[in-house]
PDB file of all heavy atoms in Angstrom:
ATOM      1  N   LEU T 594      99.947 118.560  83.305  1.00  0.00           N
ATOM      2  CA  LEU T 594     100.784 117.510  83.899  1.00  0.00           C
ATOM      3  C   LEU T 594     100.269 116.128  83.523  1.00  0.00           C
ATOM      4  O   LEU T 594     101.063 115.228  83.173  1.00  0.00           O
ATOM      5  CB  LEU T 594     100.818 117.680  85.416  1.00  0.00           C
ATOM      6  CG  LEU T 594     101.607 116.625  86.200  1.00  0.00           C
ATOM      7  CD1 LEU T 594     103.096 116.727  85.883  1.00  0.00           C
ATOM      8  CD2 LEU T 594     101.380 116.769  87.688  1.00  0.00           C
ATOM      9  N   LEU T 595      98.962 115.939  83.547  1.00  0.00           N
ATOM     10  CA  LEU T 595      98.400 114.644  83.158  1.00  0.00           C
ATOM     11  C   LEU T 595      98.637 114.361  81.682  1.00  0.00           C
ATOM     12  O   LEU T 595      98.908 113.208  81.299  1.00  0.00           O
ATOM     13  CB  LEU T 595      96.902 114.626  83.468  1.00  0.00           C
ATOM     14  CG  LEU T 595      96.514 114.727  84.953  1.00  0.00           C
ATOM     15  CD1 LEU T 595      95.003 114.796  85.097  1.00  0.00           C
ATOM     16  CD2 LEU T 595      97.074 113.555  85.741  1.00  0.00           C
ATOM     17  N   ALA T 596      98.570 115.404  80.840  1.00  0.00           N
ATOM     18  CA  ALA T 596      98.838 115.210  79.414  1.00  0.00           C
ATOM     19  C   ALA T 596     100.302 114.864  79.168  1.00  0.00           C
ATOM     20  O   ALA T 596     100.616 114.015  78.314  1.00  0.00           O
ATOM     21  CB  ALA T 596      98.442 116.471  78.642  1.00  0.00           C
ATOM     22  N   MET T 598     102.255 113.278  81.195  1.00  0.00           N
ATOM     23  CA  MET T 598     102.479 111.898  81.619  1.00  0.00           C
ATOM     24  C   MET T 598     102.006 110.918  80.556  1.00  0.00           C
ATOM     25  O   MET T 598     102.629 109.861  80.344  1.00  0.00           O
ATOM     26  CB  MET T 598     101.767 111.638  82.944  1.00  0.00           C
ATOM     27  CG  MET T 598     102.347 112.397  84.134  1.00  0.00           C
ATOM     28  SD  MET T 598     101.642 111.882  85.709  1.00  0.00           S
ATOM     29  CE  MET T 598     102.253 110.213  85.835  1.00  0.00           C
ATOM     30  N   LYS T 599     100.906 111.239  79.873  1.00  0.00           N
ATOM     31  CA  LYS T 599     100.440 110.367  78.798  1.00  0.00           C
ATOM     32  C   LYS T 599     101.422 110.350  77.638  1.00  0.00           C
ATOM     33  O   LYS T 599     101.647 109.305  77.022  1.00  0.00           O
ATOM     34  CB  LYS T 599      99.068 110.822  78.323  1.00  0.00           C
ATOM     35  CG  LYS T 599      97.961 110.607  79.344  1.00  0.00           C
ATOM     36  CD  LYS T 599      96.622 111.080  78.815  1.00  0.00           C
ATOM     37  CE  LYS T 599      95.523 110.890  79.848  1.00  0.00           C
ATOM     38  NZ  LYS T 599      94.207 111.380  79.370  1.00  0.00           N
ATOM     39  N   MET T 603     103.281 107.113  80.763  1.00  0.00           N
ATOM     40  CA  MET T 603     103.198 106.808  82.188  1.00  0.00           C
ATOM     41  C   MET T 603     101.764 107.042  82.651  1.00  0.00           C
ATOM     42  O   MET T 603     101.173 108.080  82.358  1.00  0.00           O
ATOM     43  CB  MET T 603     104.162 107.687  83.003  1.00  0.00           C
ATOM     44  CG  MET T 603     105.632 107.471  82.672  1.00  0.00           C
ATOM     45  SD  MET T 603     106.719 108.494  83.693  1.00  0.00           S
ATOM     46  CE  MET T 603     106.449 107.736  85.297  1.00  0.00           C
ATOM     47  N   VAL T 604     101.220 106.065  83.352  1.00  0.00           N
ATOM     48  CA  VAL T 604      99.848 106.153  83.849  1.00  0.00           C
ATOM     49  C   VAL T 604      99.885 106.747  85.255  1.00  0.00           C
ATOM     50  O   VAL T 604     100.596 106.239  86.128  1.00  0.00           O
ATOM     51  CB  VAL T 604      99.180 104.772  83.875  1.00  0.00           C
ATOM     52  CG1 VAL T 604      97.747 104.868  84.399  1.00  0.00           C
ATOM     53  CG2 VAL T 604      99.196 104.156  82.484  1.00  0.00           C
ATOM     54  N   PRO T 605      99.154 107.819  85.506  1.00  0.00           N
ATOM     55  CA  PRO T 605      99.158 108.399  86.854  1.00  0.00           C
ATOM     56  C   PRO T 605      98.590 107.405  87.869  1.00  0.00           C
ATOM     57  O   PRO T 605      97.675 106.632  87.573  1.00  0.00           O
ATOM     58  CB  PRO T 605      98.265 109.639  86.721  1.00  0.00           C
ATOM     59  CG  PRO T 605      98.214 109.924  85.259  1.00  0.00           C
ATOM     60  CD  PRO T 605      98.351 108.610  84.563  1.00  0.00           C
ATOM     61  N   ASN T 606      99.148 107.434  89.063  1.00  0.00           N
ATOM     62  CA  ASN T 606      98.659 106.559  90.117  1.00  0.00           C
ATOM     63  C   ASN T 606      97.713 107.322  91.043  1.00  0.00           C
ATOM     64  O   ASN T 606      97.402 108.493  90.835  1.00  0.00           O
ATOM     65  CB  ASN T 606      99.825 105.948  90.897  1.00  0.00           C
ATOM     66  CG  ASN T 606     100.713 107.004  91.518  1.00  0.00           C
ATOM     67  OD1 ASN T 606     100.436 108.193  91.419  1.00  0.00           O
ATOM     68  ND2 ASN T 606     101.777 106.579  92.170  1.00  0.00           N
ATOM     69  N   THR T 607      97.283 106.653  92.080  1.00  0.00           N
ATOM     70  CA  THR T 607      96.313 107.242  93.000  1.00  0.00           C
ATOM     71  C   THR T 607      96.897 108.425  93.753  1.00  0.00           C
ATOM     72  O   THR T 607      96.180 109.389  94.063  1.00  0.00           O
ATOM     73  CB  THR T 607      95.829 106.166  93.985  1.00  0.00           C
ATOM     74  OG1 THR T 607      95.454 104.992  93.261  1.00  0.00           O
ATOM     75  CG2 THR T 607      94.646 106.649  94.794  1.00  0.00           C
ATOM     76  N   ILE T 609      99.072 110.679  92.725  1.00  0.00           N
ATOM     77  CA  ILE T 609      99.083 111.895  91.892  1.00  0.00           C
ATOM     78  C   ILE T 609      97.692 112.501  91.821  1.00  0.00           C
ATOM     79  O   ILE T 609      97.517 113.725  91.969  1.00  0.00           O
ATOM     80  CB  ILE T 609      99.631 111.556  90.491  1.00  0.00           C
ATOM     81  CG1 ILE T 609     101.093 111.108  90.585  1.00  0.00           C
ATOM     82  CG2 ILE T 609      99.490 112.740  89.551  1.00  0.00           C
ATOM     83  CD1 ILE T 609     101.694 110.668  89.277  1.00  0.00           C
ATOM     84  N   TYR T 610      96.677 111.664  91.607  1.00  0.00           N
ATOM     85  CA  TYR T 610      95.305 112.185  91.569  1.00  0.00           C
ATOM     86  C   TYR T 610      94.892 112.750  92.921  1.00  0.00           C
ATOM     87  O   TYR T 610      94.168 113.753  92.992  1.00  0.00           O
ATOM     88  CB  TYR T 610      94.343 111.080  91.134  1.00  0.00           C
ATOM     89  CG  TYR T 610      94.381 110.797  89.649  1.00  0.00           C
ATOM     90  CD1 TYR T 610      94.875 109.599  89.155  1.00  0.00           C
ATOM     91  CD2 TYR T 610      93.922 111.735  88.735  1.00  0.00           C
ATOM     92  CE1 TYR T 610      94.903 109.327  87.799  1.00  0.00           C
ATOM     93  CE2 TYR T 610      93.942 111.482  87.370  1.00  0.00           C
ATOM     94  CZ  TYR T 610      94.437 110.282  86.912  1.00  0.00           C
ATOM     95  OH  TYR T 610      94.472 110.027  85.563  1.00  0.00           O
ATOM     96  N   LEU T 613      96.350 116.255  93.181  1.00  0.00           N
ATOM     97  CA  LEU T 613      95.601 117.222  92.369  1.00  0.00           C
ATOM     98  C   LEU T 613      94.221 117.517  92.971  1.00  0.00           C
ATOM     99  O   LEU T 613      93.744 118.664  92.937  1.00  0.00           O
ATOM    100  CB  LEU T 613      95.456 116.692  90.946  1.00  0.00           C
ATOM    101  CG  LEU T 613      96.757 116.540  90.143  1.00  0.00           C
ATOM    102  CD1 LEU T 613      96.477 115.899  88.787  1.00  0.00           C
ATOM    103  CD2 LEU T 613      97.451 117.876  89.960  1.00  0.00           C
ATOM    104  N   SER T 628      87.009 117.512  86.186  1.00  0.00           N
ATOM    105  CA  SER T 628      87.972 117.164  85.125  1.00  0.00           C
ATOM    106  C   SER T 628      88.973 116.121  85.616  1.00  0.00           C
ATOM    107  O   SER T 628      89.342 115.194  84.878  1.00  0.00           O
ATOM    108  CB  SER T 628      88.702 118.426  84.667  1.00  0.00           C
ATOM    109  OG  SER T 628      87.792 119.396  84.179  1.00  0.00           O
ATOM    110  N   ILE T 629      89.395 116.248  86.864  1.00  0.00           N
ATOM    111  CA  ILE T 629      90.323 115.258  87.429  1.00  0.00           C
ATOM    112  C   ILE T 629      89.644 113.899  87.547  1.00  0.00           C
ATOM    113  O   ILE T 629      90.235 112.852  87.216  1.00  0.00           O
ATOM    114  CB  ILE T 629      90.842 115.747  88.793  1.00  0.00           C
ATOM    115  CG1 ILE T 629      91.655 117.030  88.627  1.00  0.00           C
ATOM    116  CG2 ILE T 629      91.695 114.675  89.455  1.00  0.00           C
ATOM    117  CD1 ILE T 629      92.058 117.669  89.936  1.00  0.00           C
ATOM    118  N   LEU T 630      88.391 113.889  87.990  1.00  0.00           N
ATOM    119  CA  LEU T 630      87.674 112.620  88.137  1.00  0.00           C
ATOM    120  C   LEU T 630      87.408 111.964  86.785  1.00  0.00           C
ATOM    121  O   LEU T 630      87.441 110.729  86.675  1.00  0.00           O
ATOM    122  CB  LEU T 630      86.360 112.857  88.878  1.00  0.00           C
ATOM    123  CG  LEU T 630      86.460 113.348  90.328  1.00  0.00           C
ATOM    124  CD1 LEU T 630      85.084 113.427  90.962  1.00  0.00           C
ATOM    125  CD2 LEU T 630      87.370 112.463  91.151  1.00  0.00           C
ATOM    126  N   LYS T 631      87.159 112.756  85.761  1.00  0.00           N
ATOM    127  CA  LYS T 631      86.963 112.185  84.421  1.00  0.00           C
ATOM    128  C   LYS T 631      88.238 111.527  83.910  1.00  0.00           C
ATOM    129  O   LYS T 631      88.195 110.440  83.319  1.00  0.00           O
ATOM    130  CB  LYS T 631      86.506 113.283  83.456  1.00  0.00           C
ATOM    131  CG  LYS T 631      85.059 113.733  83.658  1.00  0.00           C
ATOM    132  CD  LYS T 631      84.675 114.779  82.630  1.00  0.00           C
ATOM    133  CE  LYS T 631      83.223 115.206  82.803  1.00  0.00           C
ATOM    134  NZ  LYS T 631      82.825 116.251  81.818  1.00  0.00           N
ATOM    135  N   ASP T 632      89.373 112.185  84.122  1.00  0.00           N
ATOM    136  CA  ASP T 632      90.636 111.588  83.690  1.00  0.00           C
ATOM    137  C   ASP T 632      90.945 110.331  84.492  1.00  0.00           C
ATOM    138  O   ASP T 632      91.475 109.351  83.951  1.00  0.00           O
ATOM    139  CB  ASP T 632      91.762 112.619  83.859  1.00  0.00           C
ATOM    140  CG  ASP T 632      93.036 112.191  83.155  1.00  0.00           C
ATOM    141  OD1 ASP T 632      93.198 112.488  81.968  1.00  0.00           O
ATOM    142  OD2 ASP T 632      93.881 111.522  83.813  1.00  0.00           O
ATOM    143  N   MET T 633      90.616 110.355  85.752  1.00  0.00           N
ATOM    144  CA  MET T 633      90.833 109.180  86.596  1.00  0.00           C
ATOM    145  C   MET T 633      89.945 108.021  86.157  1.00  0.00           C
ATOM    146  O   MET T 633      90.371 106.862  86.175  1.00  0.00           O
ATOM    147  CB  MET T 633      90.548 109.560  88.053  1.00  0.00           C
ATOM    148  CG  MET T 633      91.017 108.569  89.089  1.00  0.00           C
ATOM    149  SD  MET T 633      90.780 109.214  90.761  1.00  0.00           S
ATOM    150  CE  MET T 633      91.506 107.876  91.711  1.00  0.00           C
ATOM    151  N   ARG T 634      88.715 108.339  85.732  1.00  0.00           N
ATOM    152  CA  ARG T 634      87.823 107.295  85.235  1.00  0.00           C
ATOM    153  C   ARG T 634      88.292 106.757  83.894  1.00  0.00           C
ATOM    154  O   ARG T 634      88.167 105.549  83.623  1.00  0.00           O
ATOM    155  CB  ARG T 634      86.414 107.875  85.117  1.00  0.00           C
ATOM    156  CG  ARG T 634      85.382 106.914  84.572  1.00  0.00           C
ATOM    157  CD  ARG T 634      84.019 107.577  84.492  1.00  0.00           C
ATOM    158  NE  ARG T 634      83.014 106.671  83.953  1.00  0.00           N
ATOM    159  CZ  ARG T 634      81.733 106.980  83.791  1.00  0.00           C
ATOM    160  NH1 ARG T 634      81.314 108.211  84.128  1.00  0.00           N
ATOM    161  NH2 ARG T 634      80.881 106.109  83.298  1.00  0.00           N
ATOM    162  N   GLN T 635      88.838 107.602  83.074  1.00  0.00           N
ATOM    163  CA  GLN T 635      89.309 107.161  81.763  1.00  0.00           C
ATOM    164  C   GLN T 635      90.492 106.212  81.893  1.00  0.00           C
ATOM    165  O   GLN T 635      90.604 105.238  81.139  1.00  0.00           O
ATOM    166  CB  GLN T 635      89.693 108.382  80.926  1.00  0.00           C
ATOM    167  CG  GLN T 635      90.152 108.051  79.514  1.00  0.00           C
ATOM    168  CD  GLN T 635      90.513 109.296  78.734  1.00  0.00           C
ATOM    169  OE1 GLN T 635      90.416 110.413  79.249  1.00  0.00           O
ATOM    170  NE2 GLN T 635      90.931 109.107  77.490  1.00  0.00           N
ATOM    171  N   ASN T 636      91.381 106.477  82.845  1.00  0.00           N
ATOM    172  CA  ASN T 636      92.552 105.615  83.042  1.00  0.00           C
ATOM    173  C   ASN T 636      92.276 104.416  83.941  1.00  0.00           C
ATOM    174  O   ASN T 636      93.178 103.589  84.136  1.00  0.00           O
ATOM    175  CB  ASN T 636      93.700 106.433  83.636  1.00  0.00           C
ATOM    176  CG  ASN T 636      94.256 107.448  82.670  1.00  0.00           C
ATOM    177  OD1 ASN T 636      94.294 107.216  81.464  1.00  0.00           O
ATOM    178  ND2 ASN T 636      94.671 108.600  83.184  1.00  0.00           N
ATOM    179  N   ARG T 637      91.047 104.337  84.501  1.00  0.00           N
ATOM    180  CA  ARG T 637      90.654 103.210  85.346  1.00  0.00           C
ATOM    181  C   ARG T 637      91.628 103.037  86.515  1.00  0.00           C
ATOM    182  O   ARG T 637      92.079 101.926  86.824  1.00  0.00           O
ATOM    183  CB  ARG T 637      90.569 101.922  84.537  1.00  0.00           C
ATOM    184  CG  ARG T 637      89.587 101.970  83.373  1.00  0.00           C
ATOM    185  CD  ARG T 637      88.164 102.110  83.857  1.00  0.00           C
ATOM    186  NE  ARG T 637      87.738 100.989  84.671  1.00  0.00           N
ATOM    187  CZ  ARG T 637      86.590 100.938  85.334  1.00  0.00           C
ATOM    188  NH1 ARG T 637      85.761 101.990  85.272  1.00  0.00           N
ATOM    189  NH2 ARG T 637      86.264  99.895  86.063  1.00  0.00           N
ATOM    190  N   VAL T 638      91.933 104.123  87.173  1.00  0.00           N
ATOM    191  CA  VAL T 638      92.825 104.080  88.335  1.00  0.00           C
ATOM    192  C   VAL T 638      91.985 103.756  89.560  1.00  0.00           C
ATOM    193  O   VAL T 638      90.978 104.432  89.826  1.00  0.00           O
ATOM    194  CB  VAL T 638      93.557 105.428  88.514  1.00  0.00           C
ATOM    195  CG1 VAL T 638      94.445 105.408  89.747  1.00  0.00           C
ATOM    196  CG2 VAL T 638      94.380 105.735  87.276  1.00  0.00           C
ATOM    197  N   PRO T 639      92.322 102.747  90.324  1.00  0.00           N
ATOM    198  CA  PRO T 639      91.512 102.395  91.500  1.00  0.00           C
ATOM    199  C   PRO T 639      91.564 103.485  92.562  1.00  0.00           C
ATOM    200  O   PRO T 639      92.541 104.222  92.695  1.00  0.00           O
ATOM    201  CB  PRO T 639      92.144 101.087  91.996  1.00  0.00           C
ATOM    202  CG  PRO T 639      93.522 101.093  91.436  1.00  0.00           C
ATOM    203  CD  PRO T 639      93.454 101.820  90.137  1.00  0.00           C
ATOM    204  N   TRP T 681      79.906 108.529  89.471  1.00  0.00           N
ATOM    205  CA  TRP T 681      81.321 108.155  89.345  1.00  0.00           C
ATOM    206  C   TRP T 681      81.682 107.033  90.305  1.00  0.00           C
ATOM    207  O   TRP T 681      82.500 106.153  89.986  1.00  0.00           O
ATOM    208  CB  TRP T 681      82.164 109.396  89.610  1.00  0.00           C
ATOM    209  CG  TRP T 681      83.646 109.211  89.506  1.00  0.00           C
ATOM    210  CD1 TRP T 681      84.405 109.207  88.381  1.00  0.00           C
ATOM    211  CD2 TRP T 681      84.561 109.033  90.596  1.00  0.00           C
ATOM    212  NE1 TRP T 681      85.732 109.037  88.683  1.00  0.00           N
ATOM    213  CE2 TRP T 681      85.851 108.932  90.043  1.00  0.00           C
ATOM    214  CE3 TRP T 681      84.409 108.962  91.966  1.00  0.00           C
ATOM    215  CZ2 TRP T 681      86.989 108.750  90.833  1.00  0.00           C
ATOM    216  CZ3 TRP T 681      85.542 108.776  92.757  1.00  0.00           C
ATOM    217  CH2 TRP T 681      86.807 108.670  92.183  1.00  0.00           C
ATOM    218  N   VAL T 684      81.003 103.262  89.075  1.00  0.00           N
ATOM    219  CA  VAL T 684      81.767 102.625  87.995  1.00  0.00           C
ATOM    220  C   VAL T 684      83.256 102.528  88.310  1.00  0.00           C
ATOM    221  O   VAL T 684      83.992 101.863  87.572  1.00  0.00           O
ATOM    222  CB  VAL T 684      81.576 103.402  86.676  1.00  0.00           C
ATOM    223  CG1 VAL T 684      80.121 103.351  86.245  1.00  0.00           C
ATOM    224  CG2 VAL T 684      82.031 104.842  86.806  1.00  0.00           C
ATOM    225  N   MET T 685      83.722 103.168  89.391  1.00  0.00           N
ATOM    226  CA  MET T 685      85.157 103.176  89.672  1.00  0.00           C
ATOM    227  C   MET T 685      85.556 101.954  90.500  1.00  0.00           C
ATOM    228  O   MET T 685      84.848 101.567  91.434  1.00  0.00           O
ATOM    229  CB  MET T 685      85.546 104.452  90.423  1.00  0.00           C
ATOM    230  CG  MET T 685      85.475 105.704  89.575  1.00  0.00           C
ATOM    231  SD  MET T 685      86.554 105.625  88.136  1.00  0.00           S
ATOM    232  CE  MET T 685      88.153 105.569  88.937  1.00  0.00           C
ATOM    233  N   PRO T 686      86.691 101.341  90.156  1.00  0.00           N
ATOM    234  CA  PRO T 686      87.165 100.217  90.978  1.00  0.00           C
ATOM    235  C   PRO T 686      87.823 100.717  92.261  1.00  0.00           C
ATOM    236  O   PRO T 686      88.327 101.838  92.332  1.00  0.00           O
ATOM    237  CB  PRO T 686      88.183  99.519  90.064  1.00  0.00           C
ATOM    238  CG  PRO T 686      88.701 100.622  89.191  1.00  0.00           C
ATOM    239  CD  PRO T 686      87.553 101.574  88.984  1.00  0.00           C
TER     240      PRO T 686
END
Side-chain angles (χ1 to χ4, degrees):
L594 178 67
L595 296 176
M598 292 189 67
K599 291 180 181 178
M603 297 182 68
V604 180
N606 58 3
T607 311
I609 296 176
Y610 283 112
L613 295 175
S628 301
I629 296 173
L630 296 185
K631 287 182 179 179
D632 193 88
M633 193 174 183
R634 178 180 179 179
Q635 182 180 0
N636 291 326
R637 301 294 298 172
V638 178
W681 181 82
V684 297
M685 290 301 295

